[in-house]
Amino acid sequence: MIDISIIIVNYNTKDLIKACIESIYDNTKGISFEIIVVDNASSDDSIEMLENDFKDVKLILSKVNGGFAYANNLGIKKSVGRYVFLLNSDTIILKDAMEKMIGYMDEKENIGMLGPKLLNKDLTHQTSISGFPTFKREVYHMYKLKNVLKIPLVKSFFVKFGGIFGSKDVEQYMKNYQSIEEPEEVQVLVGAALLLRRQTIEDIGMLDERYFMYYEEIDYCLKASIAGWSRVYYPHAQIIHLIGQSSEKLSAMTFYERYRSMILYYRKNYGRAKELQVRINLVIALGFRVLGLTFLRIFKPSKTIMDNKKIYLDTIKMATNKSAIARNRY
């Protein structure tokens, strides 16, 4: 059995995935690996490039754009590695990252999931961990209250006292602003680069394909937690994540899907009462945004304002439709 199966989902990211795969070959030594690319019905020249430039890569062609979880499950089913590494196409592997992660996982058999330190293009720290969602944190997000973290004094306060004056998930989120130099158990690891133990997958099953994008890794971390598997942030392995570049053309879809997935997560894990609470809050929060844009348009007419207003209204419509979270793939 090979050491690691690297699964990369591609959707119209020809140049990004080329750079990603090249970084794997350039910076991964001393372990055996296979690369599996699952293409989500791309319309660019990705497939031709992959077939011509990377003949050793296993290519799985999906007839539909089934989303992140759907595509990764296709790859997992074809993988043979002791470990499975879910990797975004907009990532660059740095030297020895995978060797270090596998070595650590081999030593710690209780760890079901391991996440590296994610870096921005300029090598500054990027959000790599989070906490399990709570209604309180969703309120912070919907009403853009996280913007207060741009104020240095407020940011410093929550870094130090987030767990006391906030909640456990706030404390977890604020760890992204701390300097964590050693491996640490966390609640949620970011899905852009997520190493899974084969036994963990066999224990908890596949990713939930009802999530098109967003929340699938949160839901999967929760399943692992319930089953007793640790999730560990491992800062000694570093990977560049060119965040947002693989989905920047889908702003309307990503906004809609983010909140559709949020509703699904609460329905699945906390019941209909909590789901209803989240839906109501979403409608109110986006209603305020619509009113704000309507007022702003009086003084500053623009197509961007109208487009954003439509995105908010479409998402409100989804939030008031009980059956909207169950829908066909694209």
Side-chain angles (χ1 to χ4, degrees):
M1 179 180 288
I2 64 173
D3 291 314
I4 184 170
S5 298
I6 305 162
I7 300 174
I8 309 171
V9 177
N10 176 63
Y11 180 69
N12 293 334
T13 60
K14 174 186 173 183
D15 295 333
L16 289 171
I17 197 169
K18 186 176 191 298
C20 175
I21 294 173
E22 287 175 344
S23 75
I24 294 172
Y25 283 119
D26 291 343
N27 295 305
T28 305
K29 312 295 180 183
I31 59 172
S32 57
F33 64 89
E34 63 174 354
I35 301 175
I36 301 173
V37 173
V38 183
D39 186 83
N40 256 343
S42 292
S43 57
D44 63 0
D45 297 326
S46 298
I47 296 173
E48 182 180 2
M49 181 276 295
L50 290 165
E51 290 176 337
N52 291 335
D53 295 355
F54 301 106
K55 299 188 184 300
D56 291 336
V57 169
K58 295 181 180 179
L59 185 57
I60 300 175
L61 304 180
S62 174
K63 295 180 180 180
V64 295
N65 181 4
F68 183 81
Y70 171 79
N72 272 301
N73 284 347
L74 290 178
I76 291 171
K77 292 172 185 176
K78 295 293 184 180
S79 67
V80 296
R82 295 190 297 119
Y83 296 99
V84 173
F85 192 35
L86 308 184
L87 186 66
N88 273 21
S89 63
D90 57 350
T91 54
I92 301 295
I93 302 297
L94 298 183
K95 186 178 179 181
D96 299 332
M98 280 190 280
E99 297 95 306
K100 290 176 180 177
M101 288 192 290
I102 287 178
Y104 190 75
M105 288 279 273
D106 282 344
E107 295 175 1
K108 310 288 185 179
E109 295 184 357
N110 65 310
I111 299 176
M113 301 178 177
L114 196 73
K117 181 177 183 178
L118 299 178
L119 303 173
N120 295 308
K121 187 177 182 179
D122 62 0
L123 302 185
T124 56
H125 180 68
Q126 186 181 116
T127 297
S128 305
I129 61 177
S130 189
F132 293 125
T134 64
F135 180 73
K136 180 187 294 186
R137 201 179 80 183
E138 296 298 352
V139 169
Y140 297 156
H141 181 86
M142 291 178 199
Y143 293 92
K144 297 185 177 182
L145 298 179
K146 287 183 181 179
N147 288 344
V148 300
L149 295 179
K150 295 178 181 179
I151 304 172
L153 185 61
V154 175
K155 178 179 173 181
S156 299
F157 175 84
F158 275 101
V159 167
K160 189 172 183 179
F161 300 110
I164 299 174
F165 295 100
S167 59
K168 185 65 176 177
D169 70 300
V170 172
E171 180 184 30
Q172 287 278 306
Y173 180 79
M174 294 311 298
K175 285 182 180 295
N176 286 294
Y177 298 98
Q178 299 173 1
S179 179
I180 303 177
E181 303 296 337
E182 295 299 329
E184 182 173 326
E185 183 168 358
V186 298
Q187 292 181 354
V188 176
L189 296 163
V190 172
L194 183 59
L195 183 62
L196 309 173
R197 189 180 298 275
R198 174 71 63 178
Q199 187 180 344
T200 302
I201 298 173
E202 293 172 353
D203 187 20
I204 68 176
M206 299 284 192
L207 295 160
D208 189 333
E209 296 179 12
R210 289 177 294 175
Y211 297 102
F212 183 77
M213 58 172 62
Y214 302 114
Y215 281 80
E216 59 278 288
E217 80 268 41
I218 300 174
D219 184 81
Y220 208 51
C221 286
L222 181 61
K223 287 177 66 176
S225 176
I226 293 172
W229 290 102
S230 294
R231 290 85 51 224
V232 171
Y233 169 64
Y234 186 71
H236 301 313
Q238 300 182 351
I239 293 176
I240 296 172
H241 181 209
L242 306 171
I243 190 166
Q245 294 196 28
S246 62
S247 59
E248 61 184 357
K249 298 177 183 179
L250 304 173
S251 58
M253 182 192 296
T254 55
F255 187 90
Y256 179 96
E257 289 296 337
R258 193 270 182 207
Y259 288 108
R260 191 192 71 85
S261 293
M262 176 192 72
I263 292 170
L264 170 60
Y265 178 85
Y266 278 92
R267 172 187 290 188
K268 176 182 176 181
N269 296 299
Y270 299 103
R272 294 300 180 99
K274 184 63 71 173
E275 175 199 348
L276 179 61
Q277 186 181 12
V278 168
R279 284 181 184 265
I280 292 172
N281 186 59
L282 178 59
V283 170
I284 295 172
L286 295 186
F288 279 124
R289 295 194 195 184
V290 170
L291 288 174
L293 290 180
T294 301
F295 181 77
L296 182 62
R297 187 170 178 267
I298 298 173
F299 303 95
K300 186 183 177 182
S302 76
K303 185 177 183 301
T304 299
I305 290 176
M306 291 304 297
D307 289 344
N308 288 343
K309 183 176 177 180
K310 184 180 184 303
I311 292 170
Y312 295 155
L313 289 172
D314 287 344
T315 307
I316 289 173
K317 184 178 179 181
M318 176 273 295
T320 57
N321 184 348
K322 291 177 64 176
S323 61
I325 66 169
R327 53 129 183 83
N328 295 325
R329 298 189 180 99
Y330 291 97

mmCIF file of all heavy atoms in Angstrom, residues 116-138:
data_model
loop_
_atom_site.group_PDB
_atom_site.id
_atom_site.type_symbol
_atom_site.label_atom_id
_atom_site.label_comp_id
_atom_site.label_asym_id
_atom_site.label_seq_id
_atom_site.Cartn_x
_atom_site.Cartn_y
_atom_site.Cartn_z
ATOM 1 N N PRO A 116 -2.284 21.207 8.061
ATOM 2 C CA PRO A 116 -1.037 21.968 8.079
ATOM 3 C C PRO A 116 -1.284 23.443 8.353
ATOM 4 O O PRO A 116 -2.425 23.901 8.427
ATOM 5 C CB PRO A 116 -0.516 21.778 6.649
ATOM 6 C CG PRO A 116 -1.774 21.711 5.831
ATOM 7 C CD PRO A 116 -2.764 20.961 6.689
ATOM 8 N N LYS A 117 -0.218 24.185 8.465
ATOM 9 C CA LYS A 117 -0.301 25.638 8.572
ATOM 10 C C LYS A 117 -0.481 26.200 7.169
ATOM 11 O O LYS A 117 0.359 25.989 6.292
ATOM 12 C CB LYS A 117 0.971 26.196 9.214
ATOM 13 C CG LYS A 117 0.965 27.706 9.399
ATOM 14 C CD LYS A 117 2.242 28.173 10.102
ATOM 15 C CE LYS A 117 2.223 29.670 10.353
ATOM 16 N NZ LYS A 117 3.430 30.122 11.080
ATOM 17 N N LEU A 118 -1.575 26.914 6.953
ATOM 18 C CA LEU A 118 -1.837 27.527 5.657
ATOM 19 C C LEU A 118 -1.252 28.927 5.611
ATOM 20 O O LEU A 118 -1.331 29.677 6.584
ATOM 21 C CB LEU A 118 -3.340 27.575 5.381
ATOM 22 C CG LEU A 118 -4.052 26.223 5.324
ATOM 23 C CD1 LEU A 118 -5.544 26.415 5.097
ATOM 24 C CD2 LEU A 118 -3.454 25.326 4.231
ATOM 25 N N LEU A 119 -0.671 29.268 4.457
ATOM 26 C CA LEU A 119 -0.043 30.564 4.271
ATOM 27 C C LEU A 119 -0.649 31.283 3.070
ATOM 28 O O LEU A 119 -1.078 30.651 2.099
ATOM 29 C CB LEU A 119 1.462 30.399 4.039
ATOM 30 C CG LEU A 119 2.264 29.673 5.118
ATOM 31 C CD1 LEU A 119 3.693 29.460 4.643
ATOM 32 C CD2 LEU A 119 2.247 30.444 6.429
ATOM 33 N N ASN A 120 -0.663 32.608 3.144
ATOM 34 C CA ASN A 120 -1.032 33.401 1.983
ATOM 35 C C ASN A 120 0.122 33.417 0.990
ATOM 36 O O ASN A 120 1.224 32.937 1.271
ATOM 37 C CB ASN A 120 -1.379 34.832 2.415
ATOM 38 C CG ASN A 120 -2.612 34.880 3.302
ATOM 39 O OD1 ASN A 120 -3.666 34.349 2.960
ATOM 40 N ND2 ASN A 120 -2.467 35.515 4.458
ATOM 41 N N LYS A 121 -0.126 34.002 -0.174
ATOM 42 C CA LYS A 121 0.897 34.047 -1.218
ATOM 43 C C LYS A 121 2.163 34.730 -0.731
ATOM 44 O O LYS A 121 3.284 34.355 -1.121
ATOM 45 C CB LYS A 121 0.347 34.759 -2.451
ATOM 46 C CG LYS A 121 1.263 34.723 -3.657
ATOM 47 C CD LYS A 121 0.610 35.380 -4.857
ATOM 48 C CE LYS A 121 1.504 35.317 -6.084
ATOM 49 N NZ LYS A 121 0.862 35.941 -7.274
ATOM 50 N N ASP A 122 2.016 35.736 0.146
ATOM 51 C CA ASP A 122 3.181 36.454 0.674
ATOM 52 C C ASP A 122 3.780 35.785 1.906
ATOM 53 O O ASP A 122 4.601 36.367 2.610
ATOM 54 C CB ASP A 122 2.823 37.904 0.988
ATOM 55 C CG ASP A 122 1.738 38.018 2.071
ATOM 56 O OD1 ASP A 122 1.274 36.976 2.571
ATOM 57 O OD2 ASP A 122 1.353 39.153 2.390
ATOM 58 N N LEU A 123 3.321 34.552 2.176
ATOM 59 C CA LEU A 123 3.805 33.714 3.284
ATOM 60 C C LEU A 123 3.355 34.192 4.662
ATOM 61 O O LEU A 123 3.876 33.725 5.683
ATOM 62 C CB LEU A 123 5.338 33.581 3.252
ATOM 63 C CG LEU A 123 5.930 32.982 1.962
ATOM 64 C CD1 LEU A 123 7.431 32.799 2.125
ATOM 65 C CD2 LEU A 123 5.258 31.665 1.591
ATOM 66 N N THR A 124 2.406 35.110 4.718
ATOM 67 C CA THR A 124 1.789 35.461 5.995
ATOM 68 C C THR A 124 0.774 34.389 6.379
ATOM 69 O O THR A 124 0.288 33.628 5.539
ATOM 70 C CB THR A 124 1.094 36.832 5.913
ATOM 71 O OG1 THR A 124 0.136 36.810 4.840
ATOM 72 C CG2 THR A 124 2.107 37.930 5.680
ATOM 73 N N HIS A 125 0.453 34.349 7.666
ATOM 74 C CA HIS A 125 -0.434 33.311 8.187
ATOM 75 C C HIS A 125 -1.855 33.477 7.672
ATOM 76 O O HIS A 125 -2.374 34.575 7.539
ATOM 77 C CB HIS A 125 -0.435 33.362 9.715
ATOM 78 C CG HIS A 125 -1.311 32.333 10.351
ATOM 79 N ND1 HIS A 125 -1.037 30.994 10.302
ATOM 80 C CD2 HIS A 125 -2.472 32.453 11.044
ATOM 81 C CE1 HIS A 125 -1.981 30.325 10.955
ATOM 82 N NE2 HIS A 125 -2.870 31.187 11.398
ATOM 83 N N GLN A 126 -2.492 32.346 7.378
ATOM 84 C CA GLN A 126 -3.868 32.316 6.910
ATOM 85 C C GLN A 126 -4.704 31.460 7.862
ATOM 86 O O GLN A 126 -4.176 30.562 8.517
ATOM 87 C CB GLN A 126 -3.910 31.716 5.502
ATOM 88 C CG GLN A 126 -5.264 31.740 4.831
ATOM 89 C CD GLN A 126 -5.211 31.095 3.445
ATOM 90 O OE1 GLN A 126 -5.836 30.075 3.203
ATOM 91 N NE2 GLN A 126 -4.446 31.693 2.534
ATOM 92 N N THR A 127 -5.993 31.746 7.929
ATOM 93 C CA THR A 127 -6.882 30.952 8.785
ATOM 94 C C THR A 127 -6.742 29.466 8.461
ATOM 95 O O THR A 127 -6.943 29.049 7.319
ATOM 96 C CB THR A 127 -8.347 31.375 8.588
ATOM 97 O OG1 THR A 127 -8.489 32.736 8.993
ATOM 98 C CG2 THR A 127 -9.272 30.510 9.424
ATOM 99 N N SER A 128 -6.396 28.678 9.466
ATOM 100 C CA SER A 128 -6.154 27.254 9.267
ATOM 101 C C SER A 128 -7.062 26.375 10.123
ATOM 102 O O SER A 128 -7.154 25.166 9.880
ATOM 103 C CB SER A 128 -4.687 26.924 9.599
ATOM 104 O OG SER A 128 -3.800 27.730 8.846
ATOM 105 N N ILE A 129 -7.673 26.969 11.151
ATOM 106 C CA ILE A 129 -8.522 26.204 12.060
ATOM 107 C C ILE A 129 -9.767 27.012 12.384
ATOM 108 O O ILE A 129 -9.846 28.200 12.098
ATOM 109 C CB ILE A 129 -7.777 25.858 13.368
ATOM 110 C CG1 ILE A 129 -7.361 27.149 14.083
ATOM 111 C CG2 ILE A 129 -6.589 24.970 13.103
ATOM 112 C CD1 ILE A 129 -6.672 26.915 15.414
ATOM 113 N N SER A 130 -10.727 26.355 13.003
ATOM 114 C CA SER A 130 -11.936 27.045 13.438
ATOM 115 C C SER A 130 -12.596 26.223 14.530
ATOM 116 O O SER A 130 -12.100 25.175 14.926
ATOM 117 C CB SER A 130 -12.887 27.246 12.249
ATOM 118 O OG SER A 130 -13.963 28.083 12.618
ATOM 119 N N GLY A 131 -13.731 26.733 14.991
ATOM 120 C CA GLY A 131 -14.508 26.011 15.986
ATOM 121 C C GLY A 131 -15.804 25.525 15.373
ATOM 122 O O GLY A 131 -16.219 25.987 14.315
ATOM 123 N N PHE A 132 -16.452 24.583 16.026
ATOM 124 C CA PHE A 132 -17.752 24.142 15.554
ATOM 125 C C PHE A 132 -18.718 25.326 15.595
ATOM 126 O O PHE A 132 -18.733 26.086 16.568
ATOM 127 C CB PHE A 132 -18.283 22.991 16.402
ATOM 128 C CG PHE A 132 -17.486 21.729 16.271
ATOM 129 C CD1 PHE A 132 -16.957 21.103 17.400
ATOM 130 C CD2 PHE A 132 -17.264 21.155 15.028
ATOM 131 C CE1 PHE A 132 -16.214 19.928 17.284
ATOM 132 C CE2 PHE A 132 -16.520 19.983 14.905
ATOM 133 C CZ PHE A 132 -15.998 19.378 16.035
ATOM 134 N N PRO A 133 -19.514 25.516 14.541
ATOM 135 C CA PRO A 133 -20.417 26.665 14.495
ATOM 136 C C PRO A 133 -21.407 26.692 15.650
ATOM 137 O O PRO A 133 -21.879 25.653 16.103
ATOM 138 C CB PRO A 133 -21.154 26.469 13.160
ATOM 139 C CG PRO A 133 -20.258 25.608 12.347
ATOM 140 C CD PRO A 133 -19.591 24.697 13.324
ATOM 141 N N THR A 134 -21.703 27.879 16.105
ATOM 142 C CA THR A 134 -22.765 28.106 17.075
ATOM 143 C C THR A 134 -23.624 29.241 16.543
ATOM 144 O O THR A 134 -23.201 30.001 15.669
ATOM 145 C CB THR A 134 -22.205 28.498 18.453
ATOM 146 O OG1 THR A 134 -21.522 29.765 18.322
ATOM 147 C CG2 THR A 134 -21.255 27.445 18.996
ATOM 148 N N PHE A 135 -24.823 29.359 17.084
ATOM 149 C CA PHE A 135 -25.717 30.427 16.641
ATOM 150 C C PHE A 135 -25.071 31.789 16.893
ATOM 151 O O PHE A 135 -25.182 32.705 16.064
ATOM 152 C CB PHE A 135 -27.053 30.330 17.378
ATOM 153 C CG PHE A 135 -28.041 31.395 16.978
ATOM 154 C CD1 PHE A 135 -28.669 31.353 15.751
ATOM 155 C CD2 PHE A 135 -28.318 32.454 17.827
ATOM 156 C CE1 PHE A 135 -29.563 32.339 15.369
ATOM 157 C CE2 PHE A 135 -29.208 33.450 17.467
ATOM 158 C CZ PHE A 135 -29.830 33.383 16.234
ATOM 159 N N LYS A 136 -24.367 31.919 17.995
ATOM 160 C CA LYS A 136 -23.709 33.189 18.325
ATOM 161 C C LYS A 136 -22.709 33.580 17.245
ATOM 162 O O LYS A 136 -22.679 34.725 16.792
ATOM 163 C CB LYS A 136 -23.005 33.078 19.680
ATOM 164 C CG LYS A 136 -22.293 34.354 20.109
ATOM 165 C CD LYS A 136 -21.478 34.138 21.384
ATOM 166 C CE LYS A 136 -22.358 33.843 22.569
ATOM 167 N NZ LYS A 136 -21.568 33.772 23.831
ATOM 168 N N ARG A 137 -21.900 32.614 16.798
ATOM 169 C CA ARG A 137 -20.899 32.951 15.793
ATOM 170 C C ARG A 137 -21.538 33.266 14.442
ATOM 171 O O ARG A 137 -21.043 34.100 13.683
ATOM 172 C CB ARG A 137 -19.892 31.812 15.632
ATOM 173 C CG ARG A 137 -18.581 32.283 15.007
ATOM 174 C CD ARG A 137 -17.586 31.178 14.866
ATOM 175 N NE ARG A 137 -17.876 30.369 13.689
ATOM 176 C CZ ARG A 137 -17.178 29.286 13.348
ATOM 177 N NH1 ARG A 137 -16.205 28.871 14.119
ATOM 178 N NH2 ARG A 137 -17.475 28.596 12.268
ATOM 179 N N GLU A 138 -22.650 32.587 14.148
ATOM 180 C CA GLU A 138 -23.346 32.898 12.895
ATOM 181 C C GLU A 138 -23.887 34.327 12.926
ATOM 182 O O GLU A 138 -23.902 35.016 11.903
ATOM 183 C CB GLU A 138 -24.485 31.908 12.655
ATOM 184 C CG GLU A 138 -24.043 30.459 12.448
ATOM 185 C CD GLU A 138 -23.153 30.262 11.235
ATOM 186 O OE1 GLU A 138 -22.973 31.219 10.446
ATOM 187 O OE2 GLU A 138 -22.605 29.167 11.084
#
